[in-house]
């Protein structure tokens, strides 16, 4: 491994709604990593077209754009705009499907950057409570609605827009995020020590 590969590291985060992706991104950012978000480009673009879109509306908009531009469209937008692998330390949030993962792995390899996909694993009840407490417009209001949205996000509809289950399966590392912030911090420290020295 050359010197640049040792010093350029990107950690991409995946997980289901309410798993703690935003919190984990913030904690890794506080350790000197530059944050980038694939889903941020989707939400910004959807909000420019739809006034206060719901989660389902954002998903539907994303599906249409991917049908027009390819499944890795939002990852390409993020790469072009933010050039995440030009920075020594990057944390990437908001991956949605395997095409985005494949593209990021490919571009990271071309940049001689270490790329690690981290999956957050969180019990359904904990995730639902978090989603309820964050009060984001368009989030499911009942557990049944939440679980139905999860099924769509896992790729159960057979479309490639969102494939959370496949991304979690493809992860290089996993963290069980049960809701204890101290434990999450310890797990992140352990992960970064492993990534930075291997």
């Amino acid at each position: 491994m050359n010197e640049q590969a040792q010093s350029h590291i990107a950690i991409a985060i995946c997980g289901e709604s309410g798993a703690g992706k935003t919190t984990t991104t913030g904690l890794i950012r506080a350790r000197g990593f530059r944050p980038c978000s694939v889903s941020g480009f989707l939400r910004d673009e959807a909000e420019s077209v739809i006034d206060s879109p719901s989660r389902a509306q954002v998903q539907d908009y994303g599906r249409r754009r991917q049908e027009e531009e390819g499944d890795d469209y939002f990852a390409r937008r993020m790469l072009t705009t933010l050039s995440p692998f030009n920075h020594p330390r990057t944390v990437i949030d908001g991956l949605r499907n395997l095409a985005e993962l494949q593209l990021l792995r490919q571009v990271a390899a071309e940049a001689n950057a270490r790329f690690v996909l981290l999956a957050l694993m969180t019990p359904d009840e904990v995730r639902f409570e978090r989603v309820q407490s964050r009060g984001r417009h368009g989030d499911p209001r009942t557990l049944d609605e939440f679980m139905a949205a999860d099924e769509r996000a896992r790729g159960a509809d057979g479309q490639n827009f969102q494939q959370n289950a496949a991304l979690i399966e493809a992860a290089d590392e996993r963290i069980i995020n049960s809701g204890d912030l101290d434990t999450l911090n310890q797990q992140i420290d352990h992960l970064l020590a492993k990534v930075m020295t291997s």
Side-chain angles (χ1 to χ4, degrees):
M1 186 179 291
N2 65 28
E3 187 174 329
Q4 181 178 333
Q6 292 174 340
S7 62
H8 284 64
I9 297 170
I11 298 174
I13 299 175
C14 67
E16 297 183 297
S17 179
K21 298 185 293 294
T22 300
T23 298
T24 301
T25 298
L27 293 173
I28 295 176
R29 176 184 184 177
R31 288 159 168 84
F33 283 67
R34 175 190 180 208
C36 299
S37 175
V38 176
S39 60
F41 283 89
L42 164 58
R43 181 159 286 279
D44 288 348
E45 199 170 302
E47 288 177 350
S48 72
V49 176
I50 307 166
D51 184 37
S52 299
S54 67
R55 181 182 180 194
Q57 287 174 315
V58 171
Q59 289 174 334
D60 289 341
Y61 177 83
R63 282 186 177 86
R64 289 195 304 273
R65 292 299 283 148
Q66 284 179 194
E67 287 172 3
E68 296 165 356
E69 303 289 345
D71 291 336
D72 60 1
Y73 168 67
F74 294 104
R76 281 187 280 119
R77 284 206 57 203
M78 186 270 294
L79 286 168
T80 302
T81 306
L82 300 178
S83 303
F85 302 117
N86 290 344
H87 195 277
R89 305 278 184 274
T90 304
V91 58
I92 303 170
D93 183 18
L95 266 71
R96 292 180 175 270
N97 60 55
L98 292 175
E100 293 176 343
L101 174 61
Q102 181 179 4
L103 175 65
L104 292 178
R105 285 196 190 280
Q106 175 188 332
V107 175
E110 292 169 356
N112 293 319
R114 174 88 187 270
F115 182 90
V116 177
L117 179 61
L118 168 64
L120 299 177
M121 315 294 292
T122 306
D124 293 343
E125 297 79 10
V126 174
R127 293 190 302 106
F128 179 62
E129 288 175 11
R130 288 178 183 166
V131 167
Q132 291 295 288
S133 66
R134 72 189 181 190
R136 184 183 295 170
H137 175 76
D139 274 339
R141 297 179 182 272
T142 68
L143 183 58
D144 286 344
E145 290 175 357
F146 179 73
M147 298 308 293
D150 265 1
E151 284 303 304
R152 287 181 76 188
R154 288 175 184 147
D157 58 5
Q159 298 185 30
N160 295 333
F161 168 68
Q162 201 161 354
Q163 300 171 315
N164 282 342
L167 287 173
I168 291 168
E169 181 67 25
D172 304 300
E173 301 287 343
R174 291 176 175 80
I175 284 179
I176 306 298
N177 181 19
S178 61
D180 183 304
L181 195 58
D182 288 338
T183 301
L184 180 58
N185 268 303
Q186 291 170 14
Q187 292 181 97
I188 290 171
D189 284 338
H190 177 76
L191 170 72
L192 294 182
K194 177 180 178 182
V195 168
M196 306 284 263
T197 57
S198 62

